[in-house]
Amino acid sequence: WRNAFKRDWQLYLLLLFPLALVFIFSYAAYPGLRMAFMDYKPAKGFDGSKWVGFATFAKVFKDADFLRSLRNSLVFNFLDLLVGFPMPIILALMLNELRYPRFKKVTQTILYLPHFLSWVIVGSVAYQIFKPSSGMINVVLQNAGLIEHGIPFLTEKWHWAVSYILIGVWQGMGWGTIIYLASITSVNPELYEAARVDGANRWQQMLHVTLPCIRSTIVVLLIMQLGKIMGGSFERIMALMNYAATEYTTTIPVLVYQWGIQDMKFSQSTALGLFQSVIGLLLVLASDFIAKRMGENGLV
């Protein structure tokens, strides 16, 4: 290891910066979790605030906003998983079948681009496209005589929920294909040759060779996604809720922000965040255990 350090000391030096950020913003924050068990007052600090045990959690679980945020988080994240998880796999399989390298590269770039746009930009663009009166989609549909009045994509709760799911899938599906494409490149070409000798067409090769060979990657990513079933994207909600603050826009990340920053309910906000993290960890461990029992490779 000494020879390796002397040879690559510049790389180890660069690695110190992300490690420092992880320790400062993740591990160094752990002592602050005791706020969840206290009636925390910033003026009194940790020493002066009263210790209340699990009373804060009981208060959080009885709150109507918590029940609504829990419902919304579970429903939206489950729909994200149901609709959004297969899309990168489908895109990766389609891109892998393209035989024109230049067209394949251009297509990959176009699909990856939305991931690098901030949700502020995505939300602004979505509003310009989906505005009920002057949005591009509604204008085209009205001029074509398909609708008489503009569709409230982002201003009515049911339409907002569908738009929220589809915009999220569009923003993330291209980036997710990178991992699957990398996994596909490791498939032994001899398997495809054997399949062609047996008379398999391209669809059958994709179904019986490509998919089984990347199954372990799919399982690992599915386990990681299940750990986020209690979370959600705070930026995504905030970018799209500016145009319609419906009952569906209250999710756990949003409620943590509202309680902790806007209402200064630090103990309740910390308790809710801790509850979210613990449930997410349990879901990851449970799904990893099930995957191993089914004969798949888990995370550990």
Side-chain angles (χ1 to χ4, degrees), residues 49-256:
S49 298
K50 183 181 178 182
W51 188 271
V52 296
F54 289 95
T56 304
F57 289 91
K59 186 176 181 180
V60 168
F61 296 154
K62 293 178 182 178
D63 195 293
D65 289 335
F66 165 75
L67 297 177
R68 183 165 59 251
S69 67
L70 180 62
R71 179 202 64 188
N72 293 340
S73 296
L74 291 175
V75 170
F76 281 137
N77 290 327
F78 177 76
L79 291 176
D80 266 338
L81 188 66
L82 185 65
V83 179
F85 185 77
M87 289 305 299
I89 304 174
I90 297 172
L91 277 178
L93 293 173
M94 294 173 63
L95 289 172
N96 185 60
E97 295 299 319
L98 295 179
R99 292 295 178 260
Y100 299 98
R102 183 172 298 179
F103 179 75
K104 183 177 181 179
K105 291 180 180 179
V106 172
T107 305
Q108 288 177 349
T109 303
I110 294 174
L111 291 172
Y112 298 161
L113 182 60
H115 174 78
F116 298 99
L117 300 177
S118 71
W119 274 107
V120 176
I121 298 175
V122 173
S124 300
V125 172
Y127 181 65
Q128 295 299 322
I129 294 176
F130 296 115
K131 278 195 296 187
S133 56
S134 58
M136 183 181 69
I137 300 297
N138 280 314
V139 169
V140 171
L141 293 177
Q142 287 176 336
N143 291 338
L146 299 177
I147 59 174
E148 295 183 2
H149 305 286
I151 301 173
F153 290 106
L154 296 175
T155 55
E156 191 272 331
K157 63 178 184 179
W158 294 108
H159 291 86
W160 183 92
V162 175
S163 301
Y164 171 85
I165 297 297
L166 296 181
I167 291 173
V169 172
W170 165 80
Q171 195 265 354
M173 65 182 182
W175 180 254
T177 60
I178 295 177
I179 299 176
Y180 293 111
L181 284 173
S183 180
I184 290 174
T185 57
S186 65
V187 178
N188 190 346
E190 295 180 358
L191 296 175
Y192 293 107
E193 295 177 5
R196 284 193 292 269
V197 170
D198 290 337
N201 56 33
R202 293 177 66 179
W203 168 257
Q204 292 170 330
Q205 293 175 41
M206 182 174 60
L207 189 62
H208 298 290
V209 177
T210 307
L211 273 178
C213 287
I214 66 172
R215 185 172 58 183
S216 60
T217 303
I218 296 174
V219 170
V220 170
L221 293 178
L222 178 61
I223 291 172
M224 296 176 67
Q225 285 297 113
L226 287 173
K228 302 176 182 178
I229 204 74
M230 286 291 294
S233 174
F234 171 78
E235 297 86 358
R236 179 175 162 193
I237 287 282
M238 295 301 292
L240 297 177
M241 73 180 291
N242 291 331
Y243 314 111
T246 70
E247 61 177 298
Y248 296 148
T249 58
T250 302
T251 59
I252 290 180
V254 172
L255 192 59
V256 169

